[in-house]
């Protein structure tokens, strides 16, 4: 491994660490604020059916947000494993190298821009077919 490759690997490791810390902080803050607010609401007031519906909707949205953040956290963990295995930065679809600018923005990206674009187009077509 050349000196430039080692430097690039360490830079991406730093970016991944920063992203992981940010995601963990968001999860912790969200859980903490949700727990304190939701628990106080549940215990400090008598809830009618409308209140329960609103609370349930809010909990569903909160769950989806936490689920998204957890998936992001898992993707970052996968990126660390790839970095250690020497496969980090390779597109899982075509095998080409993912652009460094893309990896700095989304350090856990699995696809190059072209393959990601194709994936999104296919998802859009499937979504349209499901609506017909």
């Amino acid at each position: 491994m050349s000196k430039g490759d080692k430097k690039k690997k360490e830079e991406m490791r730093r970016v991944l660490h920063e992203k992981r810390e940010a995601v963990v902080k968001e999860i912790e803050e969200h859980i903490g604020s949700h727990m304190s607010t939701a628990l106080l609401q549940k215990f400090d007031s008598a809830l009618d059916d409308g209140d329960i519906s609103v609370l349930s909707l809010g909990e569903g949205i909160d769950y989806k947000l936490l689920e998204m953040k957890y998936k992001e956290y898992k993707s970052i963990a996968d990126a660390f494993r790839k970095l250690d295995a020497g496969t980090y930065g390779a597109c899982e679809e075509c095998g080409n190298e993912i652009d460094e600018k893309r990896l700095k923005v989304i350090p856990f990206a699995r696809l190059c821009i072209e393959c990601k674009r194709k994936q999104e187009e296919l998802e859009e077509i499937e979504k349209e077919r499901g609506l017909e």
Side-chain angles (χ1 to χ4, degrees), residues 16-59:
L16 283 167
H17 275 289
E18 288 175 2
K19 186 69 174 172
R20 180 176 60 191
E21 291 301 314
V23 169
V24 168
K25 184 177 178 184
E26 287 178 43
I27 290 171
E28 289 173 346
E29 287 174 355
H30 186 75
I31 289 173
S33 68
H34 175 70
M35 290 299 288
S36 61
T37 305
L39 287 176
L40 286 175
Q41 284 180 347
K42 286 180 182 178
F43 293 121
D44 288 345
S45 65
L47 302 175
D48 63 16
D49 289 341
D51 293 332
I52 292 170
S53 295
V54 169
L55 190 57
S56 294
L57 177 63
E59 287 173 353

Side-chain angles (χ1 to χ4, degrees), residues 54-108:
V54 169
L55 190 57
S56 294
L57 177 63
E59 287 173 353
I61 292 168
D62 290 338
Y63 176 76
K64 284 294 184 190
L65 178 66
L66 286 173
E67 185 178 38
M68 283 180 9
K69 288 298 172 186
Y70 180 68
K71 285 180 181 179
E72 189 174 347
Y73 180 84
K74 283 179 45 180
S75 294
I76 292 168
D78 289 344
F80 274 115
R81 283 190 281 282
K82 288 180 177 185
L83 196 61
D84 292 337
T87 59
Y88 179 79
C91 176
E92 291 180 359
E93 188 67 31
C94 68
N96 292 334
E97 190 171 330
I98 299 171
D99 188 76
E100 191 172 337
K101 291 177 187 176
R102 176 167 169 73
L103 290 173
K104 285 189 177 181
V105 174
I106 307 170
F108 49 87

